[in-house]
Amino acid sequence: MKNFFSLLATLLLVSNIAFGQTKWSVDPAHTNARFEIKHLGIAFVDGEFTKLEGQVESKDSTSFENATVSFDIDVNSIDTRVDARNKHLLSDDFFSAEKFPKMTLKNATLKSDGKGKFKLTGDLTIKDVTKPVTFDVVQNNGIIQDPWGKTRAGFTANTKINRFDYNIKYADKTPAGIDAVAPEVAITVNVEVVKN
């Protein structure tokens, strides 16, 4: 019986190595989620969320092909460098942050799209709406060992969404009929992950 349990433990260890148990945590000090949106049809306004966390699980320690990704963003951490604008974005005109304090990306998988490039497709939830979204992802400089002995990797992910699809329905217009805030939002996430 002892030999059976030893064999079972060995098989579980081999299974973990073979089937992907390499886990990575998002390093919040070197990660940001940024957005850009057109204002009055003439200029772009940008901002970022400063509090976020996430996990990546890769099939092995040398490749992110078919890795799974999850992400949580604290909506209340929004920063556009203008306090009044931040408060407006947190209101029911936009994010309704008191009721919906988090945005999430779940069930997301990286698929190779060429050397160092991926498509990341998953379920993005903003407010009370969940929709599939695909990011174009570039892996920056492979996997490295930092000066303190930790294994790291970095990515830049880009996508565009229509905010109306996520029930962000602020719709003021100028006298000329131009959207005060455009429907389309460009999103860029710069992510650095550390191997657990």
Side-chain angles (χ1 to χ4, degrees):
M1 185 63 72
K2 184 177 179 181
N3 287 340
F4 170 76
F5 285 113
S6 296
L7 177 61
L8 182 61
T10 301
L11 287 172
L12 286 171
L13 178 61
V14 171
S15 172
N16 285 346
I17 294 170
F19 296 107
Q21 296 297 317
T22 304
K23 294 184 179 181
W24 309 72
S25 293
V26 168
D27 180 356
H30 300 100
T31 298
N32 58 69
R34 304 189 60 80
F35 60 90
E36 186 177 72
I37 191 166
K38 190 172 282 188
H39 178 242
L40 299 177
I42 57 170
F44 284 93
V45 172
D46 68 340
E48 68 176 317
F49 296 93
T50 61
K51 293 182 181 178
L52 57 164
E53 58 186 25
Q55 298 288 329
V56 177
E57 184 171 319
S58 60
K59 298 301 179 184
D60 59 57
S61 61
T62 62
S63 171
F64 287 92
E65 170 68 10
N66 296 318
T68 57
V69 178
S70 63
F71 230 90
D72 292 326
I73 294 175
D74 181 352
V75 174
N76 286 285
S77 71
I78 197 167
D79 182 12
T80 66
R81 303 178 305 280
V82 179
D83 287 343
R85 184 165 59 210
N86 295 343
K87 289 177 182 177
H88 191 198
L89 289 169
L90 293 174
S91 76
D92 289 340
D93 279 344
F94 290 92
F95 287 106
S96 303
E98 187 172 337
K99 188 175 181 181
F100 305 107
K102 282 191 176 182
M103 288 188 289
T104 62
L105 180 68
K106 303 294 184 187
N107 305 315
T109 303
L110 281 166
K111 297 288 187 181
S112 179
D113 192 38
K115 187 175 180 180
K117 296 181 180 180
F118 300 89
K119 297 286 187 183
L120 175 65
T121 301
D123 298 323
L124 177 64
T125 300
I126 302 175
K127 296 180 74 171
D128 55 347
V129 178
T130 301
K131 287 185 173 292
V133 65
T134 297
F135 289 81
D136 293 316
V137 180
V138 175
Q139 185 175 355
N140 304 317
N141 202 31
I143 298 171
I144 64 106
Q145 195 87 2
D146 73 17
W148 304 276
K150 293 183 178 180
T151 303
R152 295 178 179 265
F155 304 85
T156 299
N158 291 283
T159 194
K160 291 182 179 178
I161 63 170
N162 187 315
R163 63 184 176 85
F164 290 116
D165 291 342
Y166 290 89
N167 203 24
I168 300 176
K169 295 184 176 180
Y170 181 77
D172 279 7
K173 293 182 181 291
T174 70
I178 297 169
D179 291 313
V181 179
E184 187 177 71
V185 185
I187 299 170
T188 300
V189 184
N190 293 297
V191 182
E192 191 169 304
V193 294
V194 183
K195 185 178 174 182
N196 291 355

